[in-house]
Structure formats: C-alpha cells, structure tokens
Amino acid sequence: MSTQSNMVKVAVVGGEGIGPEVTAQSRRVLDWFAAKRGVPMTLREAQYGLIPYLATGKVLPEDTAEAMDEADAILWGATGGPETTEVPAAARKAGSLLGLRSKYDLYANLRPIVASPALSASAPLKAEVLDGVDFVIIRELTSGIYFGEPRGIETLPDGQRRGFNTEQYTTNQIRRVARSAFELARTRRNKVCSVDKANVLETSVLWREEVIKLHKEEFSDVELTHLYVDNAAMQIVREPRQFDVMVTGNIFGDILSDCAAMASGSLGMLPSASLGPVDRFGRRKALYEPVHGSAPDIAGKGIANPLGSILSVAMLLRLTLNRPEDADLLEKAVQTALASGARTADIAEAGAKKLSTVQMGDAVLGALDRISAKEHA
C-alpha cells in the first residue's frame, strides 16, 4: 500500500461463496471513483477462506491479516457455506469474522434500510407500506450473547446434553453504541428507537436504564422511544416508515436487520458498516460488507446481486473517506440503474430480464458515467 499520508488505505477481501463475485463489482466502482473523481485511496486485494486455507493452512493468512491491519477500511465480501466443511472448526474459529470484529473493536454496525420505488413491484411488502421508508439499524456488534462467557455444550449427570450461552452487557458497552445512535439521529430526523426485551431480561433492563440516562445527560434534544424486540419486528413490516434510527443489542440487531431487508426489497440490496472507536487522530477502523451471506447455492453462477456490496462502497465513501457528495452520486447511480430496469434474479419482477452480476455492475458504472457527464456539461 502507498505510504502517502493523504491516501486512505482500503483492503479488499472477497472471501467465500458469492463474496468474490460481488466484491469484484465493488472494486470496479472504487476504481471508477479513483480515476474519475480523484478519490485519494490505495487498494490492496487479499484472500480469505477455503482457498488460502488449502494453500497455507489458515483461513486468514499472514498477508491478509497484514493488509487488514494496515487498512483504514476493509471492504469485505462474505464468509461461510457448505464448502467450508473442508476447513476444521479450530482453523475457522481462528480466523472468524466474529474474531475480526473483536480484534478491531468494531462495536457499531450500521445497516441502512431504504426502500427503492423502482422495486415496489417485486418487493414482498405492499408499495404503500414501503413508501418513504428510510431508516438505519445500529446493532451493537462486539458484546452480548455472541461473545459472552461461559458458553458451550455439556453432558449432564442424567445423560442429557445441554447447550448454554451467556448474554451480558456493561454500562460502557451500552452507552457507546447508544451514543452512536443519538449522534446519527441528529444528522437525520432526530428520532431514536431503542429496542430491548426489558420485560424479561436483566441485560435489557440495564440496556434501557443506560440509554435513558445517556439521553437525559447528553441528548435530550433527540426524541427517544422504546420497543420490545417482538413488537419491533412486527412494526418493521407493519409501518417501517415510522423509524429513523433504531439501536439494539447484538442478537436482536442480527435478526431485525434481516427482517428489515423486506422493507428494502431484497437482502441482496442491504449494505452495512461496522465502526470502531475514534482514535486520537480522529480516525476509526471500519469494515464494510453486504448484509447477505455467502449464498453457496448460487456461488460461481455469476447471478448474485452486487448492489449490497456496491452500496457498502457508498458508506465507505461517506464514513471513512468523508466524501458525502461522492456517496450521494453512487447511491443515485444505483437508483438510476434500478429505475432503468436493471435487475438481478433476486429483485426481478415476473417476466423481467435478469442481469448477471457483471451486467449489474455495468449498469451502475454506466449510470455513474451518465450522471457525471451531465454534472459537467
């Protein structure tokens, strides 16, 4: 990577399944912004998963770890799938995505949910429900039940097996992700909905108490509401436009954000950003990835939707590169491509032409060229 101080370092890690296919289109978009808009970044591609494991015995080889350690931002593809049975569990755990989140302390996961009018015909929810939907789910990402100890599977004296996990949160873990939500809301419609299960879980009692305290101390200008997680799931499909910023714990955020995918038309449309703490130089480590998984059933077929990954680049432009105008341009290009009828199989209406992964990348790049040309005409 370049050592020029003004260059932002981006590690591009396609990973497994459809990850490399969709990330290849994001790489094309990044190259476009570097060439056509002068975005100051250097890119370094690195491998993760089965292929490097077969060559090195590690799913996360040393050169990939080095690339990610050096990077200001990581553009991630996907991990997992049946093909990974060739990788022993210990090797998989040693290089897991959960481990990377913990290593870089990527505690705040932002998942924008925006309904595209162009997809109203193919979306599973009614057009009138999706009209005006634009909210962000902030999921706490490095604590909660996915990281709590003790955990495991044991055999009881009577011969039964028991699996157990520990859900736990501390004051600081709650307050820092809640602060991210309040700060983001101030740049949007100034509304935060905190989601918990405080009627039955002590961790949620603490969550609600700490969110209320922080709100009173620092963010009383922001509207704060609370929902139990089961009601939140219902409201997301009943009236998603009511939300602006939703903040919740790790497991609840994992589930609710997939539920909310139906308010955007497809899981393949959803981008995300996972952000670490701000350092003394004002920088923060970030990992950008589409919300979808590795989709091994379609991997290698060239039909995966790259828009979740491409829209993750828009988040990278906005949050790491501090280029909001370029982020807006890319989001407009995606909507322009969709409005012109560009569809991959997962978002295609009955009878519509289905584009390949590369063709959808072509459609977005073509829209970028046309919009950019008009701006300079």
Side-chain angles (χ1 to χ4, degrees):
M1 286 188 178
S2 169
T3 57
Q4 298 178 51
S5 60
N6 66 327
M7 301 293 278
V8 172
K9 299 176 182 179
V10 180
V12 181
V13 187
E16 300 169 290
I18 62 171
E21 299 171 55
V22 298
T23 306
Q25 302 313 305
S26 296
R27 171 65 194 262
R28 295 174 67 196
V29 169
L30 284 168
D31 288 340
W32 188 93
F33 277 94
K36 301 291 182 69
R37 305 280 286 194
V39 175
M41 57 184 167
T42 56
L43 308 180
R44 177 174 170 180
E45 294 209 22
Q47 289 189 324
Y48 172 93
L50 177 60
I51 292 175
Y53 174 78
L54 295 176
T56 68
K58 295 181 179 180
V59 296
L60 183 63
E62 297 299 329
D63 61 323
T64 302
E66 177 186 270
M68 292 193 294
D69 287 347
E70 285 185 358
D72 300 292
I74 301 162
L75 181 62
W76 185 269
T79 179
E83 75 279 5
T84 63
T85 56
E86 296 182 54
V87 182
R92 172 66 60 187
K93 185 176 181 179
S96 71
L97 185 57
L98 261 65
L100 292 173
R101 291 169 179 169
S102 180
K103 176 182 179 180
Y104 299 126
D105 198 15
L106 305 174
Y107 67 90
N109 178 241
L110 279 62
R111 298 187 172 188
I113 311 297
V114 180
S116 171
L119 298 180
S120 60
S122 62
L125 299 181
K126 294 179 179 179
E128 56 265 32
V129 174
L130 298 179
D131 184 39
V133 170
D134 181 356
F135 67 101
V136 179
I137 295 176
I138 300 187
R139 166 190 172 191
E140 198 289 319
L141 201 61
T142 56
S143 307
I145 201 166
Y146 293 164
F147 291 87
E149 297 289 347
R151 63 189 296 160
I153 300 174
E154 64 181 5
T155 301
L156 300 174
D158 65 359
Q160 294 188 78
R161 300 174 73 214
R162 182 178 74 141
F164 55 96
N165 292 87
T166 303
E167 164 80 349
Q168 58 185 20
Y169 272 108
T170 65
T171 297
N172 289 342
Q173 290 166 346
I174 297 166
R175 289 173 71 96
R176 68 176 183 172
V177 73
R179 179 173 284 107
S180 295
F182 286 126
E183 290 174 347
L184 178 61
R186 279 177 169 169
T187 70
R188 292 172 51 89
R189 302 197 305 276
N190 220 40
K191 297 166 56 179
V192 168
C193 177
S194 177
V195 175
D196 57 46
K197 192 63 175 169
N199 55 336
V200 292
L201 297 176
E202 283 79 7
T203 46
S204 282
V205 171
L206 179 66
W207 178 283
R208 185 172 292 207
E209 289 176 351
E210 292 300 332
V211 170
I212 290 172
K213 287 179 184 177
L214 180 65
H215 176 255
K216 183 177 180 180
E217 293 167 3
E218 301 181 29
F219 298 98
S220 58
D221 58 300
V222 180
E223 178 185 334
L224 173 64
T225 58
H226 304 271
L227 284 178
Y228 295 142
V229 63
D230 42 355
N231 189 16
M234 181 183 70
Q235 295 298 330
I236 284 173
V237 296
R238 174 185 170 272
E239 191 184 353
R241 71 171 66 85
Q242 70 184 280
F243 299 115
D244 179 23
V245 176
M246 177 182 288
V247 63
T248 190
N250 206 336
I251 190 169
F252 295 159
D254 192 2
I255 297 166
L256 290 176
S257 57
D258 275 22
C259 175
M262 296 302 96
S264 70
S266 165
L267 189 63
M269 292 291 299
L270 294 192
S272 76
S274 300
L275 307 177
V278 178
D279 66 17
R280 61 192 180 94
F281 301 107
R283 299 174 305 198
R284 63 192 311 178
K285 196 83 165 185
L287 185 147
Y288 299 91
E289 61 176 323
V291 172
H292 63 69
S294 60
D297 56 319
I298 61 170
K301 296 181 180 180
I303 61 174
N305 186 349
L307 294 182
S309 185
I310 289 171
L311 289 169
S312 295
V313 170
M315 298 187 77
L316 190 159
L317 288 166
R318 179 171 283 112
L319 299 174
T320 292
L321 284 153
N322 194 28
R323 307 270 297 204
E325 297 87 358
D326 287 327
D328 290 344
L329 171 62
L330 180 52
E331 290 168 350
K332 183 177 180 181
V334 168
Q335 294 305 319
T336 299
L338 291 172
S340 71
R343 300 287 188 273
T344 45
D346 62 312
I347 55 174
E349 302 90 345
K353 179 183 177 181
K354 299 173 183 177
L355 300 186
S356 69
T357 307
V358 174
Q359 288 171 330
M360 182 59 91
D362 292 341
V364 173
L365 289 167
L368 281 170
D369 283 333
R370 293 193 299 274
I371 297 169
S372 183
K374 286 182 180 179
E375 287 180 351
H376 294 90

